[in-house]
Amino acid sequence: MNIDYLKLLESYLLTVILALPLRNKIVKPSDFLGVVFLAAAIIPTLSFYALNSKERLFMYYMAIAYLIVIYSARLFPGIRFRYIKQGNKIMIFFGSLLVLFVLALMIKNGGLNYFNLDLTRVYEYRGEVSRVINMGILGYLNTWVFKVINPALMVWALLRNKKKLLILFISIQVLFFGISSHKSVLFYPFLILGVYYLFNSRYYKKITSYMFLGLSFLVIICGLFAIWWEQIWPATLFIRRVFYVPALLNFTYYEVFSQLGHVYLSNSIFALLVDYPFSYDYTRIISLHLFGHPNTNCNNGFLATSYMHFGLGGVVVYSVIVGLLLWMVDSLSFKRLPVWVAISISIVPFFSLFTSADLTTALLTHGIMVVLILLWLLGRKENKTVIEGDKLE
């Protein structure tokens, strides 16, 4: 801790300013995802900025990036996509087939040998099981199935009130968690059910307020566990890992790549045009800086990696692209799907983009492109909802 009280005041003023564009009543998926972006990535970074007296210039660029994302999603009129005949059936058939295929391969490759439901032991298994189940193209398929396709099947079952299928898909998700040892996989069903409950309850008109109140209450409870009962794992799992690790890494990426220079996408799509300048992967360079060894993969969201690639200009350009992706989600769901359905299907990949994945990685590996395809297939006239103020802007 290295508290700068001027920056502390700045952080509160910026929080108020950045909250002004938010809508209390969620009309479009981008409204909700904007709240998630502010709550999960921006506010914790503002807090860390003041408590550790971090770089002012980069903090203001991140604040501007948030505003660019929000207003880029609202700037253009939406595209009206045509309904795909039998799109629902295509999605359900091929989605279910892919889920069963991935599950069968994981079991065939010995994944059940590492089956574990103990949250405190996941790191004991993750490295070994990853070498078994993430070989080749499975590295992509597994993530798509865990983060997008099986959750989308849960959402469809919930939308159609097919309780037995919902229980089946949730059970498969628990199996995926037990084999993969990724904690987040276990929480996706709770996330979907929570979004469904919010949008079908009396809290609908004040979702944004209740979200921030709920998150604040959760932080307080985790803190009380640590202070009164000396149980730190809820605080370290939620407050530290979810909020402050991405905030720390935002500034660490800025500090490291300000000194070493930028990558210019040479680690991915421009690899044939630009030589990657380092002997370690960028996530391990950050590990070297923080811990003195290259053995930790310090991934972070697009705010950090955009600076790594192209500097401050990259932060602006990436923010416009992210805003346009939110605009695409809005367009693909408008009068085609209930808002909660589009949010439930898209929230996990976008949360990864905000807190733990580079833009190109989130588009492909974490499944944002898959999300757009699923929303396109699922949209149908029978699904559209009548929501006060439901309009494309």
Side-chain angles (χ1 to χ4, degrees):
M1 292 248 296
N2 179 25
I3 299 176
D4 184 315
Y5 289 97
L6 176 59
K7 291 179 178 179
L8 189 65
L9 176 61
E10 279 182 86
S11 70
Y12 280 104
L13 290 174
L14 282 170
T15 299
V16 172
I17 292 169
L18 297 180
L20 292 176
L22 298 182
R23 291 167 172 161
N24 212 353
K25 181 181 176 181
I26 304 299
V27 176
K28 300 180 294 185
S30 64
D31 296 337
F32 189 90
L33 294 172
V35 174
V36 172
F37 185 26
L38 183 63
I42 302 299
I43 291 178
T45 304
L46 282 166
S47 176
F48 197 84
Y49 162 72
L51 296 178
N52 290 269
S53 191
K54 289 296 184 179
E55 175 61 40
R56 176 175 281 111
L57 176 64
F58 191 55
M59 183 67 254
Y60 274 85
Y61 260 87
M62 285 188 279
I64 292 168
Y66 162 79
L67 293 173
I68 291 173
V69 169
I70 296 299
Y71 287 110
S72 295
R74 300 175 182 177
L75 184 61
F76 303 102
I79 302 172
R80 295 187 183 275
F81 288 88
R82 295 182 62 183
Y83 302 106
I84 303 300
K85 189 176 181 180
Q86 305 298 326
N88 274 229
K89 291 182 179 179
I90 293 170
M91 178 269 176
I92 301 308
F93 176 76
F94 285 103
S96 300
L97 200 63
L98 194 56
V99 167
L100 293 175
F101 174 72
V102 166
L103 182 60
L105 276 183
M106 289 172 66
I107 294 172
K108 179 180 178 295
N109 291 338
L112 286 179
N113 295 330
Y114 303 92
F115 189 79
N116 163 63
L117 296 178
D118 186 345
L119 285 169
T120 64
R121 301 185 63 194
V122 292
Y123 294 110
E124 297 177 26
Y125 295 90
R126 185 179 297 176
E128 292 185 32
V129 74
S130 180
R131 287 189 286 271
V132 172
I133 68 172
N134 287 330
M135 295 181 296
I137 196 172
L138 283 177
Y140 291 102
L141 289 181
N142 290 348
T143 307
W144 294 347
V145 166
F146 297 167
K147 290 192 169 188
V148 183
I149 297 174
N150 197 55
L153 292 172
M154 291 183 227
V155 171
W156 174 82
L158 196 57
L159 176 66
R160 297 297 175 203
N161 199 29
K162 297 181 181 294
K163 295 179 181 178
K164 291 181 180 179
L165 283 176
L166 177 62
I167 293 170
L168 173 63
F169 294 134
I170 290 175
S171 301
I172 291 173
Q173 192 74 10
V174 173
L175 270 174
F176 285 146
F177 160 69
I179 294 173
S180 70
S181 283
H182 281 276
K183 297 188 293 292
S184 57
V185 173
L186 183 63
F187 294 111
Y188 298 158
F190 297 102
L191 187 61
I192 291 167
L193 292 172
V195 170
Y196 173 80
Y197 172 73
L198 277 174
F199 277 83
N200 292 276
S201 71
R202 61 189 177 90
Y203 304 114
Y204 170 68
K205 293 185 177 181
K206 293 186 177 181
I207 285 179
T208 299
S209 295
Y210 284 114
M211 278 184 63
F212 280 109
L213 285 171
L215 289 171
S216 300
F217 182 72
L218 191 54
V219 168
I220 291 169
I221 292 298
C222 290
L224 291 177
F225 265 94
I227 294 167
W228 286 354
W229 295 289
E230 298 183 355
Q231 294 291 329
I232 66 166
W233 70 265
T236 194
L237 184 67
F238 185 73
I239 300 173
R240 181 193 64 85
R241 181 62 189 89
V242 173
F243 288 140
Y244 278 115
V245 167
L248 161 68
L249 291 177
N250 279 333
F251 290 108
T252 305
Y253 271 69
Y254 174 76
E255 293 161 3
V256 169
F257 293 103
S258 292
Q259 298 174 20
L260 299 182
H262 304 299
V263 173
Y264 302 107
L265 289 173
S266 59
N267 65 311
S268 55
I269 59 175
F270 287 173
L272 295 177
L273 302 176
V274 182
D275 290 331
Y276 182 68
F278 309 117
S279 55
Y280 288 112
D281 184 77
Y282 68 89
T283 61
R284 298 186 182 273
I285 290 173
I286 300 298
S287 175
L288 270 170
H289 179 81
L290 285 175
F291 310 120
H293 64 73
N295 302 325
T296 303
N297 282 306
C298 297
N299 298 297
N300 209 34
F302 82 92
L303 290 171
T305 59
S306 60
Y307 181 81
M308 173 190 74
H309 287 300
F310 297 108
L312 295 174
V315 177
V316 173
V317 173
Y318 270 49
S319 299
V320 173
I321 296 171
V322 172
L324 293 177
L325 288 171
L326 294 180
W327 168 74
M328 280 293 295
V329 173
D330 288 344
S331 296
L332 283 164
S333 59
F334 176 69
K335 292 193 180 301
R336 304 171 87 250
L337 288 167
V339 176
W340 73 265
V341 170
I343 290 170
S344 297
I345 293 173
S346 60
I347 187 171
V348 172
F350 275 97
F351 185 82
S352 297
L353 175 64
F354 297 152
T355 62
S356 63
D358 191 9
L359 176 59
T360 52
T361 305
L363 283 170
L364 186 59
T365 307
H366 290 273
I368 287 180
M369 295 301 295
V370 179
V371 164
L372 299 180
I373 293 169
L374 292 181
L375 293 177
W376 183 46
L377 289 173
L378 279 175
R380 55 190 292 185
K381 290 181 181 179
E382 299 92 313
N383 286 335
K384 76 177 182 179
T385 58
V386 178
I387 299 173
E388 182 182 351
D390 187 12
K391 61 181 179 179
L392 280 175
E393 295 183 354

